[in-house]
């Protein structure tokens, strides 16, 4: 049986397991409609803290998801799976936007704890 790995983010949020953290972010995703900007300051803080951990795991020289800086987050449709998968997008301060995987980000957060 695998061991449970807690997830802790820089904004002080913690979950006893990666699965509980995933549930938190999936429920958050479910509160927004496609194209809607994340308006809750707490949700924004959680996403920014998760993205910070995710970007720390990027190999040196590779582009980060935050890029030049985060302006806001919004819910969108995954470009690689049109109409099938909803996800959060980071809208950067330069106006560019990119999606990110909650699963990949949480894997990076769990690896940091291991």
């Amino acid at each position: 049986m695998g061991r449970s790995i807690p997830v802790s983010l820089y904004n002080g949020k913690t979950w006893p397991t990666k699965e509980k953290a995933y549930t938190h972010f999936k429920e958050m995703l479910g509160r927004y409609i496609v194209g809607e900007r994340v308006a809750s300051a707490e949700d924004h803080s959680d996403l920014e803290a998760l993205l910070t951990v995710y970007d720390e795991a990027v190999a040196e020289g590779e582009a980060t998801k935050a890029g030049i800086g985060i302006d806001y987050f919004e819910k969108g449709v995954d470009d690689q799976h049109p109409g099938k998968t909803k996800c959060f997008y980071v809208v950067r301060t330069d106006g560019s936007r990119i999606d990110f995987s909650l699963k990949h980000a949480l894997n990076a957060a769990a690896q940091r704890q291991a």
Side-chain angles (χ1 to χ4, degrees):
M1 182 181 280
R3 68 185 182 114
S4 295
I5 299 173
V7 172
S8 297
L9 300 179
Y10 292 122
N11 66 346
K13 288 286 185 76
T14 62
W15 295 270
T17 65
K18 183 171 67 170
E19 291 75 23
K20 289 191 184 289
Y22 183 73
T23 298
H24 169 77
F25 285 101
K26 285 302 280 187
E27 288 174 352
M28 180 191 301
L29 185 65
R31 290 195 297 269
Y32 296 94
I33 61 171
V34 172
E36 184 179 7
R37 186 183 288 207
V38 172
S40 161
E42 183 176 356
D43 289 351
H44 182 96
S45 175
D46 289 353
L47 288 168
E48 186 171 21
L50 179 62
L51 195 66
T52 298
V53 172
Y54 190 28
D55 279 352
E56 286 178 352
V58 171
E60 189 173 332
E62 287 188 29
T64 63
K65 296 288 186 173
I68 193 166
I70 300 167
D71 188 7
Y72 61 91
F73 295 94
E74 67 183 9
K75 181 177 180 174
V77 177
D78 184 343
D79 293 335
Q80 295 178 355
H81 305 98
K84 297 180 183 175
T85 305
K86 310 299 186 282
C87 60
F88 284 113
Y89 276 78
V90 182
V91 179
R92 300 175 180 133
T93 55
D94 66 359
S96 63
R97 65 192 286 273
I98 189 167
D99 65 328
F100 73 99
S101 164
L102 291 175
K103 286 185 180 182
H104 290 128
L106 287 166
N107 285 340
Q111 286 291 331
R112 197 173 132 258
Q113 304 299 130

